Structure formats: C-alpha cells, structure tokens
C-alpha cells in the first residue's frame, strides 16, 4: 500500500470486447495503454479491474486509488430515461461493475479520477442524469478534439490546473442533472459540463475529457498525490 512508501496501487476499470492479438481472435478484457502510462508517469502502479467480479468495498479495499475509464454509453435505464436512437447498445456487465466500483470508492473515500464515461457513471450513481447526445465534442471518430475550458475559481480543480485549461475531448454524451453532492467546476464554451468534483471526499474528480491522452496532464499526478497525502 501507499503507506509503506511504494508506488500506490491505482485500479483502472476495463471492459470486455472481442479483440485480435497474436494468433488469437477472442473475448478479452481491454483498455487503452495510455491509461497505464499515465498512472506510471504519475508515480502509481496500475492494476486492471475487469468487469467479471462483484466490486464491493471489501473487494476493492486493497486499492489506493481508482480510475474509472472512458468508453461506451451508460444504459439510460440506469437513470430512468428512454433510449435515444443515437445512444449505443447497453453493456450490463460493465455498467454493473463500474457502478459498484464508484460506490466502493465513495464508501472507502478512495481517491477517484472518473474519465469521460467514468464521470457519467459517477454522476448517475449519485442520482444524476445524462444528455444522450451533444454535438461538437465527438466530431471525428477516434480523434480527440481540443476544447478550452473555464475552471471554477476556488475549486480543487483550479488548484491543480489554474483558471482555464485546454483539454482533449471525445464524447457525444454529457452530464445533465448533476448528482447529489457534486459541484460543476469546469464548462466548455457551449456550456457543456466538463468537470465535476465531490468536495465531501478527499479527492473525487470527474472529467469529460481524456487526460490519459495528454502527456502534459496534471490530473493523474493529482490523484497519486491525494493518495500519498492520505497515507
């Protein structure tokens, strides 16, 4: 654990998908390598968390911090909405696993960085809802779009990045009604909520952008710093 001076164990959620590697074409637990590299650059040790077990607080208790990774749309049924035709197909295993991981992090006060879909999962767990389609933030498939954000003065995020921030975005959904206890701490020029934080916890930040894809990112380092300060 981080308290003994070693690299903090940072769990990262993964998802199940058919993939080709070597001679194989098989179901696999997958994740962009950029998440692993971002954790390592920040001084942490990444631990992959597949959606195949019940991630209770007890099961997740060996972790020092948690990253909820980006990915496919959250099932609208989880926040009581009818499906928009532009919303992707549901992934019940991933929804269930990441919902459980988010709840475990909240219960344990585990430093949490929720990325894109992860921020949406966190919002839904806290009773919030999502906008099922937002134009302009996912213009080209598999290409991150630069977006300039205004950051709320006095927020924990502002203490990390300052009053403004240029980020890399790739999302077609966004937060609508904000979940209980969350505060909006960054917005895009069109008013889209781009970051939220939960002040009641030592570090709980949700961002719609993809800091793992930005080598100049400071958020993964802030996550690891929060772990070390609480050790």
């Amino acid at each position: 654990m981080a308290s003994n001076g070693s690299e903090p164990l940072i769990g990262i959620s993964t998802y199940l998908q058919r993939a080709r590697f070597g001679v194989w074409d098989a179901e696999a637990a997958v994740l962009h390598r950029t998440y692993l590299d971002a954790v390592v650059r920040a001084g942490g040790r990444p631990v992959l968390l597949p959606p195949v077990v019940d991630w209770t607080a007890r099961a997740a208790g060996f972790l020092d911090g948690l990253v909820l990774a980006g990915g496919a749309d959250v099932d609208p049924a989880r926040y009581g909405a009818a499906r928009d035709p532009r919303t992707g197909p549901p992934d019940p295993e991933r929804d269930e696993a990441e919902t459980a991981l988010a709840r475990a992090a909240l219960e344990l006060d585990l430093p949490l960085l929720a990325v894109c879909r992860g921020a949406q999962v966190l919002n839904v767990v806290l009773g919030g809802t999502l906008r099922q389609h937002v134009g302009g933030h996912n213009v080209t498939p598999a290409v991150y779009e630069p977006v300039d954000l205004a950051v709320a003065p006095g927020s924990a995020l502002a203490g990390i990045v300052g009053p403004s921030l240029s980020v890399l975005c790739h999302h077609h959904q966004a937060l609508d009604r904000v979940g209980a206890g969350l505060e909006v701490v960054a917005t895009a020029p069109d008013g889209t909520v781009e970051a939220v934080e939960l002040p009641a916890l030592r570090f709980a930040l949700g961002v719609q952008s993809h800091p793992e894809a930005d080598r100049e990112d400071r958020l993964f380092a802030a996550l690891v710093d929060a772990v070390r300060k609480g050790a």
Side-chain angles (χ1 to χ4, degrees), residues 49-102:
L49 307 176
V52 294
V53 299
D54 183 10
W55 286 111
T56 61
R58 181 176 180 181
F62 73 100
L63 297 171
D64 296 310
L66 175 66
V67 176
L68 291 178
D73 297 336
V74 176
D75 187 348
R78 290 189 170 266
Y79 49 93
R83 180 176 300 278
D84 184 294
R86 294 167 293 190
T87 294
D91 185 342
E93 286 179 310
R94 187 174 186 190
D95 283 351
E96 191 63 31
E98 292 184 348
T99 294
L101 281 167

